[in-house]
Amino acid sequence: MNVWSLGRVAIASAVGALLLAACSTAPNTAAQVWMTSGDRTRVLSEQPGLTFSNGSSRPYRPTVTVDPSQRYQTMVGFGASITDASAWLIQTRLTPSARDALLQELFGRRAGGLGFSLTRVTVGASDFSLDHYSLADKPDPTLANFSSARMQEFVFPTVRRALALNPDLKVMASPWSAPAWMKTSGSLIQGQLKPEFYSTYAEYWLRYIRSAAEHGVPTDYLSIQNEPDFEPDSYPGMRWGPEGRAAFIGGHLGPALADAKLDAEILDWDHNWDKPEQPLGVLADTVAAPYISGVAWHCYAGDVSTQGLVRAAHPDKDVFFTECSGGEWSADFSESFRWMMKNLIIGSTEQWARGVLMWNLALDETHGPHSGGCGDCRGVVTINTQTGEIERNQEYYAFGHASRFVMPGAVRIASVEPKGLHGVAFVNPDGQRVLILLNDGGEPVVFNIVDGDRQAPAELPAFTAATYVWSPPPK
């Protein structure tokens, strides 16, 4: 080899070394991916990862862009209600080892647990109770007979175990009715709370909060009435208009909580998206409004965008989504899974929800137990009382796409999706990015995920949801 040839080899080697060095200063970042498809070929299944790289040399594709510099609400979490029915099934129809395994799977984070960090309990009976009761059934304005014994049987032990598995768990409490003797109907079913019992009912709340705390169950949030614009005819319920709710909160419960130094946060409404005038009416009351921390919503009528409209009018108030149930009216896995992803996981958080709750955590193979009300509702899981087997329903997978990856304290950040995709993005307290996407259409979508000057090519199959998790760029 002559000198000229040796020189060319040396130059080529030097250029290669420079290129290698340049590449080493801009390391690629891996993103983990989990998917659930409508045909159930994937159910919260981990997929091959994506690779982020610097630059924009890839062929043009539609982009999903996340922008961590634009930050919105801080998340409390996702979960489902520990109703009487759910707690009774978990405590009495599972062996101790099966019970602990299920609660670990739902509330824990190790070994792929869903990490539910928000739950709701019913103060007294709902339709998903074995029978109808309040915590003070005997007429007595002194509440001498007040007792949380019924909740101590199954509900409180279940919540305590969930808290042990996930200390981040927050608990909301909602009653379906005041005690019958306080109401115009004289019954737990239908009727309204008599104004002369407003102070007594405030004391009822203080006793509940203290009793629950004595048994290891906090009350982080409360609503004074589940679905106050509805009087069901077969299970406990109570109509309570905005003027009455404002009077009770501003003149009775709010001051009572403050005087007792109990820091449970009051959420108004706890009903559907279709009547924003109801919470707006309560928040317009200048005496009640300072005691109200936010508005809670249900899914059974109206549109999720209502959450954002009410928050725009009261940006100092939080938003929570506190009830939706799946059921046999929408039995198809793909259809109901995609509806929940679009409206609850993505839509509700895009419309400012800090927490998102499904209804029953667990029901049995006959959609119960229940006493009146819904006869074909579905739990997040189904516990077969004959075999003890656990069926994980579409609610399980929809909520798992968020709860397993979006940590308490995460902040929603800006994201922009191309036509054909729905999405929402978060930054976890440790800086990790979490992007949740849904392809609600019948064709796959090919796109790039863009985070600052980095991008990764991705493809989302038809009728499929995905969660992408990756680390921030090195500083």
Side-chain angles (χ1 to χ4, degrees):
M1 182 179 292
N2 58 33
V3 174
W4 174 244
S5 298
L6 288 170
R8 287 192 299 176
V9 170
I11 292 169
S13 298
V15 170
L18 287 171
L19 289 173
L20 183 61
C23 290
S24 67
T25 64
N28 293 338
T29 301
Q32 295 174 288
V33 184
W34 289 263
M35 289 186 184
T36 299
S37 52
D39 62 5
R40 304 189 77 166
T41 54
R42 307 176 185 90
V43 283
L44 205 54
S45 304
E46 189 165 9
Q47 306 297 304
L50 307 181
T51 301
F52 279 92
S53 57
N54 289 348
S56 57
S57 60
R58 299 185 184 281
Y60 171 77
R61 290 172 171 172
T63 61
V64 175
T65 303
V66 301
D67 183 359
S69 69
Q70 296 188 54
R71 299 192 168 213
Y72 305 102
Q73 76 270 28
T74 300
M75 300 302 297
V76 172
F78 302 82
S81 294
I82 299 176
T83 58
D84 286 354
S86 297
W88 181 81
L89 285 167
I90 290 168
Q91 294 293 331
T92 70
R93 293 300 181 266
L94 294 175
T95 65
S97 60
R99 178 190 314 134
D100 202 60
L102 177 60
L103 291 174
Q104 172 66 53
E105 182 179 347
L106 293 170
F107 292 95
R109 291 201 177 275
R110 63 178 176 81
L114 295 193
F116 280 174
S117 57
L118 182 62
T119 193
R120 182 175 178 229
V121 298
T122 71
V123 180
S126 71
D127 48 332
F128 283 94
S129 298
L130 277 68
D131 61 301
H132 299 164
Y133 67 95
S134 76
L135 305 188
D137 283 331
K138 294 180 181 179
D140 181 357
T142 71
L143 297 175
N145 68 323
F146 179 94
S147 174
S148 66
R150 291 291 300 272
M151 299 184 71
Q152 295 170 35
E153 289 184 275
F154 308 117
V155 174
F156 288 170
T158 308
V159 177
R160 283 198 302 270
R161 182 56 185 154
L163 278 161
L165 292 165
N166 185 354
D168 290 326
L169 181 69
K170 302 299 181 185
V171 182
M172 177 185 178
S174 300
W176 265 235
S177 175
W181 51 273
M182 297 186 190
K183 297 171 60 183
T184 57
S185 63
S187 169
L188 293 175
I189 298 174
Q190 300 185 322
Q192 301 178 42
L193 180 63
K194 295 178 180 179
E196 58 261 38
F197 287 117
Y198 278 12
S199 293
T200 307
Y201 197 44
E203 177 62 25
Y204 180 93
W205 264 109
L206 297 187
R207 295 196 185 198
Y208 167 74
I209 293 169
R210 288 168 173 151
S211 180
E214 288 170 2
H215 292 90
V217 175
T219 303
D220 299 292
Y221 303 93
L222 67 86
S223 67
I224 63 171
Q225 175 60 40
N226 173 73
E227 299 187 346
D229 197 47
F230 180 47
E231 292 179 79
D233 61 6
S234 63
Y235 63 92
M238 189 170 77
R239 191 177 296 275
W240 207 348
E243 290 184 3
R245 299 200 307 277
F248 175 71
I249 293 169
H252 300 275
L253 182 60
L257 290 173
D259 290 346
K261 295 181 171 53
L262 297 174
D263 57 3
E265 298 188 29
I266 300 173
L267 305 178
D268 184 52
W269 191 220
D270 210 7
H271 207 167
N272 292 331
W273 292 319
D274 63 334
K275 293 188 177 179
E277 67 276 9
Q278 285 259 356
L280 287 172
V282 175
L283 292 174
D285 188 294
T286 57
V287 177
Y291 294 111
I292 298 169
S293 70
V295 178
W297 299 94
H298 295 185
C299 74
Y300 306 114
D303 186 86
V304 67
S305 61
T306 304
Q307 295 179 185
L309 295 175
V310 172
R311 188 194 179 278
H314 295 275
D316 60 324
K317 303 302 182 186
D318 287 336
V319 178
F320 280 81
F321 181 85
T322 52
E323 187 184 314
C324 192
S325 182
E328 290 308 302
W329 58 86
S330 182
D332 180 75
F333 181 93
S334 179
E335 180 182 345
S336 54
F337 169 78
R338 287 183 283 121
W339 188 93
M340 283 181 278
M341 290 298 305
K342 181 178 178 181
N343 289 280
L344 306 186
I345 302 303
I346 295 171
S348 190
T349 54
E350 281 278 280
Q351 297 296 329
W352 293 95
R354 296 188 61 208
V356 185
L357 284 167
M358 284 303 290
W359 184 208
N360 289 279
L361 182 68
L363 291 177
D364 68 19
E365 71 277 15
T366 63
H367 311 288
H370 67 98
S371 183
C374 182
D376 58 356
C377 282
R378 186 172 54 232
V380 171
V381 298
T382 299
I383 297 175
N384 189 304
T385 58
Q386 305 303 311
T387 66
E389 293 181 356
I390 306 296
E391 180 181 359
R392 293 151 187 84
N393 298 318
Q394 42 268 59
E395 293 78 8
Y396 176 100
Y397 297 109
F399 273 65
H401 268 281
S403 64
R404 185 185 286 181
F405 310 104
V406 180
M407 300 294 110
V411 177
R412 179 171 69 89
I413 61 174
S415 64
V416 179
E417 298 82 29
K419 184 179 180 180
L421 294 179
H422 305 276
V424 66
F426 305 88
V427 170
N428 277 328
D430 65 358
Q432 272 196 329
R433 281 76 159 121
V434 180
L435 173 65
I436 302 171
L437 293 178
L438 170 68
N439 178 0
D440 200 25
E443 298 295 332
V445 178
V446 177
F447 57 97
N448 285 338
I449 299 174
V450 176
D451 177 10
D453 60 359
R454 303 178 302 160
Q455 60 179 305
E459 180 175 344
L460 191 55
F463 303 136
T464 297
T467 300
Y468 307 86
V469 181
W470 68 93
S471 297
K475 295 182 179 180

